[in-house]
Amino acid sequence: MFRIALIPGDGIGPDIIKQAVKVMKSLEKPGEIEFEFTEVLAGGAAIDKTGHPLPQESLDICLQSDAVLLGAVGGPKWDTLPGDLRPEQALLGLRKALGVFANLRPAVLFPQLKNASPLKEDIIGDGIDVLVVRELIGGIYFGKRGREGDTAYDTESYSVPEVERIARVAFDTARKRRHKVTSVDKANILESSRLWRETVTRIAKDYPDIELNHLYVDNCAMQLIRDPHQFDVIVTSNMFGDILSDEASMLVGSLGMLPSASLGNTKRGFYEPIHGSAPDIAGQDKANPLATILSVAMMLRYSFDLTREADDIEQAVAKVLEDGYRTADIMEPGMKLVGTERMGDLVVEYLKCS
């Protein structure tokens, strides 16, 4: 029995989590693969009910689970709250408490969605496959911050052990891919980046089979557009990774297609699509659930060792796209427009045929 804490959250979160659960239930085999779901409050929904973005009860349930699956949190409704009470604090608190320091964000362009990419066809070539490995519980998002008079500050800070562990995740992952790591920093300006570059360079000596190169973050942002094929695994800090992975997501057509896995030193992982809560389309059967469903595939692979089932989900998504089904965010002429519910049903139907 795999215990999964579900955090529907805000906006379209409940819509897409419903589809993810539908897909997982279709994979159940009594006595072999069984899932136990516990729904918990976090984000704006938790603020509305308890006054806090991450109630202790929710955190306790997540810590007792084998994996956590999140829909989305946040929205304009809570934008005027103090920083420590914003919905996004639930994400930071969960990541820290779960010890998930490595965020894996794959940006893969499905061949069926070439026309959804803003890049020219000669740049896309045979497709795009980039994995951003983002350090998740350090850096400026967790550094000392505050206000003094009319001045505000946020502190970027990294230790050698923090950089070492994320670097090893990147190199180990590259060994399963195309054996290339690009470390991204701002070492020409920032002292924390100089420590980052020194540490990654040293760790690279333990991986002589992996090609390592370094890029400044501004150059990397440009190169992702100019020639995404030069990248295999990108490893970078919390804030840089947040920005670059969103950029990479648009190269492949839509935020609605990008899953993520956040991992630590145990099998327990934290899984979520990288898009936001899109409150303007919440409850309207318009949201794309595929990023959440693909996040489920990552959960099955990394937390539960259900590699075949993970592959089946990814292949089912590819077949749905191959047959021309699209939600509004990836719609193009000649394709068949479907809503959130129907897209989830289609993935289940293709899974049953696999």
PDB file of all heavy atoms in Angstrom, residues 187-202:
ATOM      1  N   ALA A 187      29.166  33.604 -11.181  1.00  0.00           N
ATOM      2  CA  ALA A 187      30.438  33.638 -10.458  1.00  0.00           C
ATOM      3  C   ALA A 187      31.283  34.866 -10.760  1.00  0.00           C
ATOM      4  O   ALA A 187      32.250  35.138 -10.039  1.00  0.00           O
ATOM      5  CB  ALA A 187      31.233  32.365 -10.760  1.00  0.00           C
ATOM      6  N   ASN A 188      30.941  35.597 -11.797  1.00  0.00           N
ATOM      7  CA  ASN A 188      31.685  36.827 -12.075  1.00  0.00           C
ATOM      8  C   ASN A 188      31.277  37.963 -11.141  1.00  0.00           C
ATOM      9  O   ASN A 188      31.964  38.972 -11.041  1.00  0.00           O
ATOM     10  CB  ASN A 188      31.490  37.258 -13.531  1.00  0.00           C
ATOM     11  CG  ASN A 188      30.022  37.441 -13.894  1.00  0.00           C
ATOM     12  OD1 ASN A 188      29.135  36.843 -13.303  1.00  0.00           O
ATOM     13  ND2 ASN A 188      29.769  38.278 -14.891  1.00  0.00           N
ATOM     14  N   ILE A 189      30.151  37.782 -10.420  1.00  0.00           N
ATOM     15  CA  ILE A 189      29.649  38.831  -9.543  1.00  0.00           C
ATOM     16  C   ILE A 189      29.454  38.365  -8.103  1.00  0.00           C
ATOM     17  O   ILE A 189      29.854  39.051  -7.160  1.00  0.00           O
ATOM     18  CB  ILE A 189      28.293  39.378 -10.071  1.00  0.00           C
ATOM     19  CG1 ILE A 189      28.445  39.922 -11.489  1.00  0.00           C
ATOM     20  CG2 ILE A 189      27.737  40.442  -9.126  1.00  0.00           C
ATOM     21  CD1 ILE A 189      29.296  41.164 -11.600  1.00  0.00           C
ATOM     22  N   LEU A 190      28.844  37.190  -7.929  1.00  0.00           N
ATOM     23  CA  LEU A 190      28.399  36.751  -6.610  1.00  0.00           C
ATOM     24  C   LEU A 190      29.391  35.809  -5.936  1.00  0.00           C
ATOM     25  O   LEU A 190      29.854  34.838  -6.545  1.00  0.00           O
ATOM     26  CB  LEU A 190      27.041  36.050  -6.721  1.00  0.00           C
ATOM     27  CG  LEU A 190      25.899  36.867  -7.344  1.00  0.00           C
ATOM     28  CD1 LEU A 190      24.644  36.011  -7.447  1.00  0.00           C
ATOM     29  CD2 LEU A 190      25.633  38.124  -6.529  1.00  0.00           C
ATOM     30  N   GLU A 191      29.690  36.072  -4.665  1.00  0.00           N
ATOM     31  CA  GLU A 191      30.595  35.205  -3.901  1.00  0.00           C
ATOM     32  C   GLU A 191      29.981  33.823  -3.710  1.00  0.00           C
ATOM     33  O   GLU A 191      30.678  32.807  -3.756  1.00  0.00           O
ATOM     34  CB  GLU A 191      30.906  35.834  -2.547  1.00  0.00           C
ATOM     35  CG  GLU A 191      32.086  35.186  -1.833  1.00  0.00           C
ATOM     36  CD  GLU A 191      33.392  35.307  -2.623  1.00  0.00           C
ATOM     37  OE1 GLU A 191      33.626  36.378  -3.216  1.00  0.00           O
ATOM     38  OE2 GLU A 191      34.154  34.313  -2.647  1.00  0.00           O
ATOM     39  N   SER A 192      28.658  33.764  -3.492  1.00  0.00           N
ATOM     40  CA  SER A 192      28.002  32.462  -3.337  1.00  0.00           C
ATOM     41  C   SER A 192      28.138  31.634  -4.610  1.00  0.00           C
ATOM     42  O   SER A 192      28.279  30.409  -4.561  1.00  0.00           O
ATOM     43  CB  SER A 192      26.519  32.651  -2.982  1.00  0.00           C
ATOM     44  OG  SER A 192      25.845  33.408  -3.977  1.00  0.00           O
ATOM     45  N   SER A 193      28.135  32.299  -5.756  1.00  0.00           N
ATOM     46  CA  SER A 193      28.311  31.596  -7.027  1.00  0.00           C
ATOM     47  C   SER A 193      29.743  31.124  -7.224  1.00  0.00           C
ATOM     48  O   SER A 193      29.987  30.084  -7.847  1.00  0.00           O
ATOM     49  CB  SER A 193      27.902  32.501  -8.194  1.00  0.00           C
ATOM     50  OG  SER A 193      26.503  32.546  -8.347  1.00  0.00           O
ATOM     51  N   ARG A 194      30.687  31.874  -6.697  1.00  0.00           N
ATOM     52  CA  ARG A 194      32.087  31.414  -6.795  1.00  0.00           C
ATOM     53  C   ARG A 194      32.284  30.147  -5.967  1.00  0.00           C
ATOM     54  O   ARG A 194      32.965  29.205  -6.407  1.00  0.00           O
ATOM     55  CB  ARG A 194      33.038  32.533  -6.349  1.00  0.00           C
ATOM     56  CG  ARG A 194      33.185  33.626  -7.401  1.00  0.00           C
ATOM     57  CD  ARG A 194      34.287  34.601  -7.064  1.00  0.00           C
ATOM     58  NE  ARG A 194      33.824  35.679  -6.205  1.00  0.00           N
ATOM     59  CZ  ARG A 194      33.262  36.810  -6.651  1.00  0.00           C
ATOM     60  NH1 ARG A 194      33.077  36.997  -7.944  1.00  0.00           N
ATOM     61  NH2 ARG A 194      32.882  37.750  -5.802  1.00  0.00           N
ATOM     62  N   LEU A 195      31.671  30.105  -4.778  1.00  0.00           N
ATOM     63  CA  LEU A 195      31.703  28.878  -3.976  1.00  0.00           C
ATOM     64  C   LEU A 195      31.014  27.746  -4.724  1.00  0.00           C
ATOM     65  O   LEU A 195      31.504  26.607  -4.746  1.00  0.00           O
ATOM     66  CB  LEU A 195      31.010  29.115  -2.632  1.00  0.00           C
ATOM     67  CG  LEU A 195      30.862  27.871  -1.749  1.00  0.00           C
ATOM     68  CD1 LEU A 195      32.200  27.500  -1.120  1.00  0.00           C
ATOM     69  CD2 LEU A 195      29.810  28.092  -0.662  1.00  0.00           C
ATOM     70  N   TRP A 196      29.897  28.052  -5.354  1.00  0.00           N
ATOM     71  CA  TRP A 196      29.142  27.053  -6.129  1.00  0.00           C
ATOM     72  C   TRP A 196      30.018  26.454  -7.223  1.00  0.00           C
ATOM     73  O   TRP A 196      30.138  25.236  -7.346  1.00  0.00           O
ATOM     74  CB  TRP A 196      27.899  27.725  -6.739  1.00  0.00           C
ATOM     75  CG  TRP A 196      27.031  26.805  -7.549  1.00  0.00           C
ATOM     76  CD1 TRP A 196      27.263  26.343  -8.808  1.00  0.00           C
ATOM     77  CD2 TRP A 196      25.782  26.230  -7.132  1.00  0.00           C
ATOM     78  NE1 TRP A 196      26.250  25.528  -9.218  1.00  0.00           N
ATOM     79  CE2 TRP A 196      25.324  25.440  -8.215  1.00  0.00           C
ATOM     80  CE3 TRP A 196      25.009  26.324  -5.979  1.00  0.00           C
ATOM     81  CZ2 TRP A 196      24.117  24.742  -8.155  1.00  0.00           C
ATOM     82  CZ3 TRP A 196      23.805  25.623  -5.919  1.00  0.00           C
ATOM     83  CH2 TRP A 196      23.380  24.841  -6.997  1.00  0.00           C
ATOM     84  N   ARG A 197      30.664  27.317  -8.002  1.00  0.00           N
ATOM     85  CA  ARG A 197      31.471  26.846  -9.131  1.00  0.00           C
ATOM     86  C   ARG A 197      32.661  26.028  -8.650  1.00  0.00           C
ATOM     87  O   ARG A 197      32.974  24.967  -9.215  1.00  0.00           O
ATOM     88  CB  ARG A 197      31.937  28.026  -9.984  1.00  0.00           C
ATOM     89  CG  ARG A 197      32.719  27.595 -11.214  1.00  0.00           C
ATOM     90  CD  ARG A 197      33.024  28.744 -12.152  1.00  0.00           C
ATOM     91  NE  ARG A 197      31.826  29.289 -12.799  1.00  0.00           N
ATOM     92  CZ  ARG A 197      31.826  29.837 -14.011  1.00  0.00           C
ATOM     93  NH1 ARG A 197      32.952  29.920 -14.721  1.00  0.00           N
ATOM     94  NH2 ARG A 197      30.715  30.321 -14.536  1.00  0.00           N
ATOM     95  N   GLU A 198      33.333  26.490  -7.603  1.00  0.00           N
ATOM     96  CA  GLU A 198      34.480  25.748  -7.058  1.00  0.00           C
ATOM     97  C   GLU A 198      34.061  24.351  -6.604  1.00  0.00           C
ATOM     98  O   GLU A 198      34.757  23.354  -6.871  1.00  0.00           O
ATOM     99  CB  GLU A 198      35.079  26.507  -5.871  1.00  0.00           C
ATOM    100  CG  GLU A 198      35.748  27.826  -6.223  1.00  0.00           C
ATOM    101  CD  GLU A 198      36.006  28.680  -4.994  1.00  0.00           C
ATOM    102  OE1 GLU A 198      35.775  28.182  -3.859  1.00  0.00           O
ATOM    103  OE2 GLU A 198      36.418  29.853  -5.153  1.00  0.00           O
ATOM    104  N   THR A 199      32.922  24.270  -5.932  1.00  0.00           N
ATOM    105  CA  THR A 199      32.469  22.988  -5.379  1.00  0.00           C
ATOM    106  C   THR A 199      32.037  22.032  -6.478  1.00  0.00           C
ATOM    107  O   THR A 199      32.388  20.840  -6.465  1.00  0.00           O
ATOM    108  CB  THR A 199      31.305  23.224  -4.387  1.00  0.00           C
ATOM    109  OG1 THR A 199      31.714  24.164  -3.396  1.00  0.00           O
ATOM    110  CG2 THR A 199      30.907  21.927  -3.718  1.00  0.00           C
ATOM    111  N   VAL A 200      31.274  22.521  -7.449  1.00  0.00           N
ATOM    112  CA  VAL A 200      30.833  21.659  -8.552  1.00  0.00           C
ATOM    113  C   VAL A 200      32.042  21.148  -9.343  1.00  0.00           C
ATOM    114  O   VAL A 200      32.099  19.968  -9.722  1.00  0.00           O
ATOM    115  CB  VAL A 200      29.861  22.422  -9.476  1.00  0.00           C
ATOM    116  CG1 VAL A 200      29.559  21.604 -10.734  1.00  0.00           C
ATOM    117  CG2 VAL A 200      28.566  22.750  -8.746  1.00  0.00           C
ATOM    118  N   THR A 201      33.024  22.007  -9.562  1.00  0.00           N
ATOM    119  CA  THR A 201      34.230  21.606 -10.293  1.00  0.00           C
ATOM    120  C   THR A 201      34.968  20.500  -9.555  1.00  0.00           C
ATOM    121  O   THR A 201      35.459  19.539 -10.174  1.00  0.00           O
ATOM    122  CB  THR A 201      35.152  22.822 -10.486  1.00  0.00           C
ATOM    123  OG1 THR A 201      34.446  23.830 -11.227  1.00  0.00           O
ATOM    124  CG2 THR A 201      36.407  22.432 -11.250  1.00  0.00           C
ATOM    125  N   ARG A 202      35.036  20.622  -8.235  1.00  0.00           N
ATOM    126  CA  ARG A 202      35.720  19.593  -7.441  1.00  0.00           C
ATOM    127  C   ARG A 202      34.958  18.267  -7.480  1.00  0.00           C
ATOM    128  O   ARG A 202      35.553  17.202  -7.658  1.00  0.00           O
ATOM    129  CB  ARG A 202      35.881  20.079  -5.992  1.00  0.00           C
ATOM    130  CG  ARG A 202      36.470  19.026  -5.050  1.00  0.00           C
ATOM    131  CD  ARG A 202      36.816  19.604  -3.694  1.00  0.00           C
ATOM    132  NE  ARG A 202      35.699  20.319  -3.091  1.00  0.00           N
ATOM    133  CZ  ARG A 202      34.676  19.717  -2.465  1.00  0.00           C
ATOM    134  NH1 ARG A 202      34.633  18.390  -2.397  1.00  0.00           N
ATOM    135  NH2 ARG A 202      33.708  20.428  -1.920  1.00  0.00           N
TER     136      ARG A 202
END
